[in-house]
């Protein structure tokens, strides 16, 4: 393999790098973090709040970057004000070449989190400190590939004790709730988070949008509290949507 070929296979399609900000979702909600958002996704969820990562609308913004260049950009933007990085998308697990970035960030003492739907396995997932598996419920319009999700879960369960893994399901309706119960039963050993869905990812009137999301959150809390199948779950809002609405880069 030539040097040119090696370089091309290590390049990562990056759409945006931003922060420090707080993680708004999942088990590390509230965590101060930098974000690296990659392009491309194997799912096209109907309510996706990051559709620009796969629908072609932000194609001109994609930068093919080496891990070292990504680290330099993180430091340029975040200075020394961060020690945690979130790999986001799209679906970062589409990219085997992320392994080089993961290794470099660990060398720099950075703790890392990633969220993926569990539709693809990459060996570098074993080296991520906090993995959130977020299989998509019926409202997304996507179909879960159970055999692949089973494999991803099983591989991650054999990680070191210090490793953290969780499941997160976004809830929009009763079908989604039934799906979440199925996920919770199927993977009973894994911490489970339920998160209220954001039905309008384009709305920009933050105050009224936040009020509507809080109302939906209250409804979800009440439903979960009345269920005897969801006694060991945590119910979350989308923190960033409450604070910044649908604004990007925060």
């Amino acid at each position: 393999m030539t040097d040119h070929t090696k370089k091309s296979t290590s390049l990562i399609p990056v759409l945006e790098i931003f922060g420090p900000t707080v993680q708004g979702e999942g088990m590390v909600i509230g965590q101060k973090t930098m974000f690296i958002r990659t392009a491309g996704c194997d799912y096209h969820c109907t309510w996706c709040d990051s559709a620009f990562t796969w629908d072609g609308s932000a194609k001109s913004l994609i930068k093919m970057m080496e891990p070292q260049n990504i680290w330099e950009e993180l430091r340029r933007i975040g200075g020394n004000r961060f020690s945690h990085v979130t790999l986001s998308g799209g679906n970062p697990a589409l990219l085997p070449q992320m392994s080089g970035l993961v290794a470099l960030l660990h060398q720099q003492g950075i703790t890392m989190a990633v969220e993926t739907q569990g539709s693809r396995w990459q060996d570098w997932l074993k080296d991520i400190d906090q993995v959130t598996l977020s299989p998509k419920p019926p409202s997304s319009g996507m179909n879960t590939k159970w055999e692949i999700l089973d494999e991803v879960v099983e591989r991650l369960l054999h990680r070191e004790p210090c490793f953290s893994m969780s499941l997160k399901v976004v809830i929009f309706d009763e079908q989604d709730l039934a799906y979440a119960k199925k996920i919770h039963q199927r993977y009973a050993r894994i911490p489970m988070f339920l998160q209220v869905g954001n039905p309008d990812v384009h709305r920009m009137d933050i105050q009224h949008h936040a009020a509507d999301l809080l109302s939906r959150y209250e409804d979800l809390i009440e439903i979960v509290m009345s269920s005897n199948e969801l006694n060991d779950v945590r119910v979350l809002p989308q923190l960033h949507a409450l604070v910044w609405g649908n604004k990007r880069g925060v």
Side-chain angles (χ1 to χ4, degrees):
M1 184 181 291
T2 66
D3 290 342
H4 175 74
T5 303
K6 289 179 181 178
K7 183 174 182 179
S8 64
T9 57
S10 66
L11 292 173
I12 296 169
V14 176
L15 265 173
E16 54 184 358
I17 297 173
F18 62 91
T21 185
V22 294
Q23 172 59 262
E25 304 183 3
M27 65 178 169
V28 289
I29 189 169
Q31 169 70 53
K32 182 180 181 181
T33 189
M34 294 288 292
F35 274 86
I36 302 169
R37 188 183 299 282
T38 60
C41 193
D42 50 331
Y43 278 21
H44 296 166
C45 296
T46 57
W47 36 251
C48 180
D49 61 0
S50 304
F52 62 92
T53 63
W54 50 262
D55 66 6
S57 62
K59 185 177 180 180
S60 63
L61 301 179
I62 298 172
K63 296 181 180 179
M64 303 302 295
M65 300 180 70
E66 290 279 355
Q68 182 62 35
N69 300 135
I70 294 174
W71 170 244
E72 290 169 0
E73 184 69 359
L74 285 167
R75 289 301 304 270
R76 185 188 71 80
I77 297 171
N80 61 358
R81 296 176 290 122
F82 70 98
S83 59
H84 188 279
V85 167
T86 298
L87 307 177
S88 184
N91 183 10
L94 292 178
L95 306 171
Q97 66 267 39
M98 292 288 283
S99 59
L101 176 62
V102 171
L104 175 59
L105 292 181
H106 269 156
Q107 290 170 9
Q108 299 295 336
I110 300 297
T111 301
M112 275 170 284
V114 70
E115 179 175 318
T116 176
Q117 56 262 42
S119 60
R120 297 288 183 92
W121 172 257
Q122 300 292 349
D123 285 341
W124 57 261
L125 285 169
K126 295 184 296 185
D127 299 318
I128 300 294
D129 304 283
Q130 298 149 336
V131 175
T132 296
L133 296 179
S134 183
K136 306 308 178 188
S139 63
S140 70
M142 299 293 105
N143 295 316
T144 300
K145 297 178 180 178
W146 293 102
E147 67 282 359
I148 298 177
L149 183 58
D150 286 345
E151 177 190 0
V152 172
V153 168
E154 188 61 27
R155 286 180 182 234
L156 290 174
L157 280 173
H158 288 89
R159 274 292 316 270
E160 296 293 328
C162 62
F163 166 76
S164 295
M165 174 173 58
S166 69
L167 290 158
K168 187 194 81 177
V169 176
V170 177
I171 307 296
F172 283 88
D173 54 35
E174 290 184 2
Q175 282 188 307
D176 290 354
L177 194 68
Y179 176 87
K181 291 176 181 178
K182 181 177 180 179
I183 290 284
H184 190 42
Q185 183 179 36
R186 191 180 186 100
Y187 309 113
R189 291 182 290 171
I190 304 174
M192 178 79 166
F193 294 80
L194 302 184
Q195 182 173 291
V196 67
N198 179 0
D200 188 344
V201 297
H202 302 292
R203 187 177 181 180
M204 295 305 292
D205 56 331
I206 296 175
Q207 186 174 359
H208 291 97
H209 186 52
D212 289 346
L213 290 175
L214 283 172
S215 177
R216 294 173 66 88
Y217 180 46
E218 183 178 9
D219 290 344
L220 180 58
I221 290 172
E222 290 180 1
I223 291 170
V224 173
M225 295 310 110
S226 66
S227 171
N228 61 2
E229 299 171 85
L230 297 169
N231 291 344
D232 191 24
V233 303
R234 301 180 189 182
V235 187
L236 297 179
Q238 270 192 325
L239 183 60
H240 58 288
L242 293 178
V243 178
W244 295 294
N246 292 309
K247 184 179 179 181
R248 276 177 55 180
V250 292

